[in-house]
């Protein structure tokens, strides 16, 4: 059979290929190159194999950053998801106030990240900041620069302030899609408020919550700008998360080799955890269906 | 169980209703006897579901009162009314098993576990789901889900009334018939007041002892299926009930004669000349073909064979009329004359039935 084949069609793909190459593949490969070589400038590279990976994996510094990162991510998830659902439930369902609420909740999402950092930096200052100064008045020393727990509280509060809105908006959209008849039937069945949430609302929210958790996890795992502006990773390395540590290593100390190895592992960890999250959630879903 | 009275009830979905057009339910006065099986029949959008939701307390009426056994329930919440309701589209609790779904209304009311177990088993048997009690409700088909909804509606024994809002829309025809029979049986067994909303006259007439016909936000007639058929109070009842519906012709009424153009039709009773837009109505079952030249001259346009009888459509001066012929009668063709059985002719003025003044024409 004669099938017309025109290889010129491949030229159509070329622009996209070029774009992806320059925006993703080439930079990534450069990082890979740095991760397996040592360099003393002048574009002279010496093959070192997995040396940098070994060094990074053996350093307490990286494990400390990873641990803080995990604590941070899980803390903000544990706060933002329930809080977001609660706020979405409390929001008016329709009318002018629903729109007002939506706009108000969307606002934090529109503020540039370093501005968010600056807002909270100023807010927490003990000399002029509303929070730091007020706490000082009632005898609590809220000094970001010296007090590690103050730094943690600030960073977590900031993230909750900045990102709970995302969960609120997603959960609100999910709640809006539940037909009225479900609430009416629950009323007829004399279901308690908790039962309505547990058996009507939560099952319908599962899909959007999965997305919310995934997005918030990936995003918080890569967080850099806001804690960098508020605490700069300090005091000491108390709030030095993975990306802050990485930048310190790559640009502060100019240890390009270890930093490159670090970034590759960082990337793989995010990929792995997100994949694991997704697979677990989807499998739970299937499991349930199989039991039916 | 209770007797439910609606007094001067009206409802508008607008916050500040103005004229009558703003009301989805215009003034309604209606009593539902304790233990009755009622059908609420009407076209889509006539206010049936609104009325149902007001009775169950999901909606609060703009005006009027609802009494349960004489006690004012107008502002009482749904839970205080002890009413079960089944909705048009299946509502099941997805994450629960079939068993938990059926037990849910009982558990919420703090019934004993042993009682719940027996009752759920009984209801599951009735709706034909007893072999699937342990399955999750989520993977079920639409009609299985609706059966669960029906089961949840019937699982409580002490309810004041069970309301059905077109519950069999998603069920396939064979199962429809079976479920309807079961509902009827259940009604006979437990004597709950049942109100069944539908726009399907067959469903209404087979289920109910009494049918409430609604039209444009009003109750136009409450009666037994026979009464609706024989003495429709409103032209809407006339053509909505019966298949095909009642023939209606504009006519001038004078005494016991109706005049249509140049034709005279004898009526079964004498009427004072009624005011307004007057019509005569006759069921197709009471239209006969005649060789008598004094009948209405018509042109046969179409014959439908529906099995037990045939429906003949004829044209008369721009109107289409229907006649039902029993099997075995010869089929009329071309130009014919038809006659109406005088005592079966109804007279309507502005769509409402007019009561005759005197006996029939001698």
């Amino acid at each position: 059979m004669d099938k017309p084949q025109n290889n010129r069609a491949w030229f159509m793909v070329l622009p996209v290929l070029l774009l992806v190459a320059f925006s993703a593949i080439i930079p990534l490969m450069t990082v890979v190159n740095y991760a397996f070589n040592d360099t003393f400038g002048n574009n002279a590279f010496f093959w070192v194999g997995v040396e940098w990976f070994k060094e990074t994996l053996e350093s307490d510094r990286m494990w400390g950053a990873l641990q803080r990162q995990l604590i941070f991510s899980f803390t903000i998830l544990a706060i933002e998801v329930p809080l977001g659902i609660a706020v979405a439930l409390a929001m008016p369902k329709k009318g002018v106030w629903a729109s007002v609420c939506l706009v108000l909740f969307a606002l934090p999402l529109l503020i540039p990240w370093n501005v968010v950092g600056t807002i909270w930096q100023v807010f927490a200052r003990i000399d002029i900041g509303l929070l730091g100064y007020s706490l000082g008045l009632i005898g609590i020393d809220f000094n970001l620069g010296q007090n590690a727990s103050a730094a943690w509280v600030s960073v977590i509060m900031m993230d909750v302030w900045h990102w709970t809105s995302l969960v609120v908006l997603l959960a609100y959209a999910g709640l809006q899609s539940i037909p009225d008849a479900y609430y009416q039937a629950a009323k007829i069945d004399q279901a308690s408020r908790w039962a309505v949430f547990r058996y009507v609302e939560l099952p319908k929210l599962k899909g959007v919550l999965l997305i919310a958790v995934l997005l918030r996890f990936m995003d918080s795992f890569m967080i850099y700008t806001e804690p960098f502006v508020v605490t700069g990773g300090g005091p000491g390395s108390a709030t030095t998360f993975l990306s802050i540590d990485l930048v310190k290593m790559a640009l502060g100390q100019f240890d390009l080799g270890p930093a490159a190895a670090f970034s590759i592992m960082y990337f793989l960890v995010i990929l792995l955890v997100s994949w694991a999250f997704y697979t677990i959630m989807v499998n739970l879903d299937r499991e349930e269906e199989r039991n039916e | 169980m209770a007797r439910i009275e609606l007094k001067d009830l009206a409802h508008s979905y607008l916050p500040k209703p103005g004229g009558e057009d703003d009301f989805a339910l215009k003034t309604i006065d209606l009593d539902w006897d304790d233990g009755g099986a009622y059908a609420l029949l009407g076209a889509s959008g006539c206010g049936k579901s609104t009325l149902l939701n007001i009775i169950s307390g999901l909606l609060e009426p703009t005006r009027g009162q609802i009494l349960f056994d004489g006690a004012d329930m107008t502002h009482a919440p749904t839970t205080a009314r002890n009413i079960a309701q089944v909705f048009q589209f299946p509502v099941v609790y997805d994450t629960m098993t079939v068993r938990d779904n059926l037990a849910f209304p009982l558990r919420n009311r703090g019934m004993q576990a042993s009682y719940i177990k027996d009752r759920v088993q009984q209801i599951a048997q009735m709706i034909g789901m007893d072999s699937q009690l342990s399955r999750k409700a989520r993977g079920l088909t639409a009609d299985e889900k609706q059966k669960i909804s029906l089961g949840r509606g019937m699982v409580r024994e002490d309810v004041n009334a069970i309301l059905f809002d077109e519950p069999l829309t998603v069920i396939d025809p064979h199962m429809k018939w079976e479920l309807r029979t079961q509902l009827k049986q259940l009604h006979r067994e437990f004597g709950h007041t049942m109100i069944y909303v539908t726009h399907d006259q067959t469903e209404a007439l087979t289920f109910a002892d009494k049918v409430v016909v609604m039209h444009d936000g009003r109750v136009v007639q409450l009666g037994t299926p026979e009464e609706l058929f024989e003495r429709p109070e409103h032209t809407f009842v006339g053509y909505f009930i019966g298949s095909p519906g009642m023939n209606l012709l504009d006519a001038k009424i004078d005494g016991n004669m109706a005049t249509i153009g140049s034709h005279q039709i004898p009526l079964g009773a004498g009427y004072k000349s009624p005011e307004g837009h007057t019509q005569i109505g006759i069921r197709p079952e009471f239209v006969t073909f005649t060789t008598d030249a004094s009948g209405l001259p018509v042109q046969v346009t179409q014959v439908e064979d529906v099995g037990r009888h045939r429906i003949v459509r004829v044209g008369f001066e721009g109107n289409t009329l229907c006649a039902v012929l029993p099997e075995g009668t010869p089929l009329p063709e071309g130009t014919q004359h038809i006659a109406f059985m005088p005592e079966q002719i109804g007279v309507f003025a502005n769509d409402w039935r007019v009561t005759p003044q005197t006996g029939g024409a001698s």
Side-chain angles (χ1 to χ4, degrees):
Chain A
M1 207 173 77
D2 217 19
K3 206 161 134 194
Q5 194 156 10
N6 191 338
N7 283 323
R8 269 181 301 178
W10 289 107
F11 286 111
M12 305 292 174
V13 195
L14 212 60
V16 173
L17 214 64
L18 277 174
L19 207 70
V20 174
F22 276 102
S23 66
I25 299 171
I26 295 175
L28 188 66
M29 285 305 128
T30 316
V31 174
V32 172
N33 193 34
Y34 276 110
F36 291 98
N37 289 294
D38 200 356
T39 176
F40 304 104
N42 294 332
N43 259 346
F45 288 96
F46 305 92
W47 178 258
V48 293
V50 293
E51 190 56 43
W52 299 136
F53 288 89
K54 251 165 85 186
E55 190 187 308
T56 313
L57 283 175
E58 280 163 5
S59 79
D60 290 340
R61 180 176 160 182
M62 185 269 211
W63 289 111
L66 180 64
Q67 198 185 355
R68 286 188 291 273
Q69 184 70 67
L70 287 170
I71 293 172
F72 175 75
S73 285
F74 283 103
T75 310
I76 63 109
L77 277 181
I79 297 173
E80 286 174 15
V81 172
L83 185 64
I85 297 172
V87 171
L89 285 172
M91 266 170 73
K93 293 264 179 296
K94 51 185 170 223
V96 186
W97 287 109
S99 317
V100 170
C101 287
L102 283 177
V103 171
L104 282 180
F105 280 115
L107 274 182
L109 299 175
L110 301 175
I111 299 175
W113 297 355
N114 53 353
V115 176
V116 173
T118 312
I119 290 173
W120 280 82
Q121 222 289 318
V122 173
F123 187 49
R125 280 177 68 151
I126 40 174
D127 48 354
I128 54 166
L130 187 62
L131 178 72
Y133 187 75
S134 317
L135 285 176
L137 284 185
I138 55 170
I140 298 170
D141 175 31
F142 199 78
N143 191 339
L144 285 187
Q146 285 161 18
N147 187 338
S149 40
W152 268 88
V153 168
S154 305
V155 171
I156 284 172
M157 268 172 39
M158 175 184 63
D159 199 80
V160 168
W161 179 84
H162 194 181
W163 288 110
T164 303
S165 295
L166 181 76
V167 184
V168 171
L169 296 182
L170 283 169
Y172 186 71
L175 285 173
Q176 290 292 71
S177 72
I178 302 175
D180 259 355
Y182 279 82
Y183 292 107
Q184 295 180 337
K187 244 190 209 172
I188 298 278
D189 291 339
Q190 214 169 46
S192 61
R193 183 67 192 86
W194 165 249
V196 171
F197 175 68
R198 171 70 187 78
Y199 298 112
V200 175
E201 290 167 336
L202 202 57
K204 302 266 173 204
L205 283 182
K206 221 165 98 183
V208 287
L209 287 184
L210 169 63
I211 293 172
V213 168
L214 258 180
L215 281 179
R216 280 316 298 136
F217 175 78
M218 289 192 305
D219 235 27
S220 67
F221 211 73
M222 299 188 286
I223 193 166
Y224 174 76
T225 318
E226 299 130 288
F228 180 75
V229 174
V230 176
T231 64
S237 59
T239 55
T240 300
F241 303 126
L242 284 175
S243 59
I244 296 178
D245 201 23
L246 178 62
V247 172
K248 271 187 195 165
M249 196 186 287
L251 300 180
Q253 300 152 226
F254 222 68
D255 282 337
L256 290 183
F262 191 146
S263 0
I264 287 171
M265 288 188 288
Y266 191 4
F267 171 61
L268 290 179
V269 166
I270 292 180
L271 211 62
L272 186 80
V273 177
S274 299
W275 175 79
F277 251 122
Y278 184 77
T279 314
I280 289 168
M281 297 271 205
V282 168
N283 273 350
L284 278 180
D285 235 33
R286 277 210 206 108
E287 194 101 331
E288 235 169 64
E289 231 147 285
R290 227 176 293 130
N291 288 340
E292 277 159 10
Chain B
M1 285 166 242
R3 173 187 163 80
I4 301 171
E5 291 166 81
L6 308 179
K7 284 197 171 151
D8 190 31
L9 197 74
H11 185 73
S12 170
Y13 286 102
L14 303 175
K16 287 196 185 83
E20 192 165 64
D21 283 348
D22 289 348
F23 281 86
L25 277 188
K26 287 146 198 170
T27 314
I28 286 179
D29 279 284
L30 202 59
D31 292 354
W32 312 85
D33 287 328
D34 186 10
Y38 290 93
L40 196 52
L41 182 64
S44 302
C46 70
K48 295 171 304 206
S49 299
T50 308
L51 183 56
L52 214 59
N53 289 342
I54 287 176
I55 295 175
S56 62
L58 296 173
L59 272 179
E60 221 174 284
T62 311
R63 199 179 69 214
Q65 270 190 312
I66 306 149
L67 308 178
F68 282 26
D69 278 337
D72 189 351
M73 285 287 191
T74 316
H75 306 290
T78 304
T79 46
R81 301 187 188 204
N82 203 11
I83 275 193
Q85 187 169 359
V86 180
F87 298 89
Q88 182 171 6
F89 295 102
V91 177
V92 295
Y93 304 104
D94 282 338
T95 51
M96 292 189 197
T97 59
V98 173
R99 179 181 288 111
D100 290 338
N101 258 284
L102 293 175
F104 193 59
L106 299 177
R107 287 197 185 130
N108 288 335
R109 285 171 175 78
M111 306 276 187
Q112 289 206 331
S114 57
Y115 168 76
I116 294 176
K117 196 165 166 259
D118 294 346
R119 182 71 183 157
V120 164
Q121 190 64 40
Q122 194 184 346
I123 292 291
Q125 230 147 33
M126 206 180 70
I127 56 172
M129 297 285 289
D130 48 334
S131 60
Q132 309 188 60
L133 277 176
S134 304
R135 281 187 62 179
K136 276 265 164 70
R138 198 168 57 161
L140 301 173
T141 61
D143 51 308
E144 285 171 322
K145 284 185 182 176
Q146 187 63 341
K147 281 196 257 173
I148 296 176
S149 301
L150 277 169
R152 259 201 353 263
M154 297 182 296
V155 76
R156 286 151 54 199
E157 285 179 281
D158 61 336
V159 289
N160 280 325
I162 308 179
L163 314 183
F164 301 93
D165 191 354
E166 310 203 24
L168 304 182
T169 313
V170 294
I171 307 257
D172 72 13
H174 165 71
M175 195 66 208
K176 237 181 202 172
W177 186 83
E178 206 177 301
L179 281 175
R180 213 161 50 217
T181 316
Q182 275 170 349
L183 286 182
K184 257 220 98 116
Q185 194 188 329
L186 190 90
H187 177 252
R188 271 195 293 269
E189 216 171 299
F190 295 104
H192 288 129
T193 310
M194 289 189 177
I195 303 176
Y196 189 106
V197 166
T198 176
H199 60 256
D200 177 348
Q201 52 162 317
T202 325
E203 230 172 83
L205 300 179
T206 52
F207 171 79
D209 306 328
K210 287 221 170 136
V211 179
V212 177
V213 183
M214 285 187 71
H215 176 53
D216 194 20
R218 265 179 237 282
V219 171
V220 287
Q221 189 167 5
L222 185 159
T224 61
E226 293 76 38
E227 282 168 354
L228 297 182
F229 185 79
E230 286 164 10
R231 286 178 47 84
E233 288 297 326
H234 190 273
T235 52
F236 177 79
V237 181
Y239 70 73
F240 197 73
I241 292 190
S243 91
M246 187 177 248
N247 296 305
L248 290 164
L249 287 167
D250 289 353
K252 270 225 290 286
I253 310 295
D254 189 19
N256 53 18
M257 276 296 178
T259 314
I260 302 170
S262 58
H263 304 281
Q264 297 259 311
I265 294 167
L267 301 173
Y271 296 84
K272 265 192 190 164
S273 306
E275 301 282 310
H277 176 216
T278 51
Q279 286 172 298
I280 57 167
I282 179 86
R283 294 259 173 219
E285 286 79 359
F286 306 120
V287 177
T288 51
F289 286 87
T290 171
T291 48
D292 189 346
S294 67
L296 293 181
V298 296
Q299 192 72 32
V300 176
T301 54
Q302 200 186 356
V303 178
E304 288 166 45
D305 197 328
V306 289
R308 280 165 304 146
H309 56 253
R310 280 167 298 198
I311 299 166
V312 182
R313 290 184 201 278
V314 299
F316 165 69
E317 293 181 357
N319 299 301
T320 302
L321 302 178
C322 290
V324 168
L325 286 190
E327 232 176 350
T329 35
L331 274 179
E333 271 181 84
T335 311
Q336 293 281 337
H337 289 275
I338 54 169
F340 301 153
M341 287 164 75
E343 59 277 11
Q344 297 294 348
I345 298 176
V347 172
F348 299 91
N350 294 332
D351 288 332
W352 292 93
R353 171 179 280 270
V354 181
T355 334
Q357 290 285 305
T358 61
S362 47

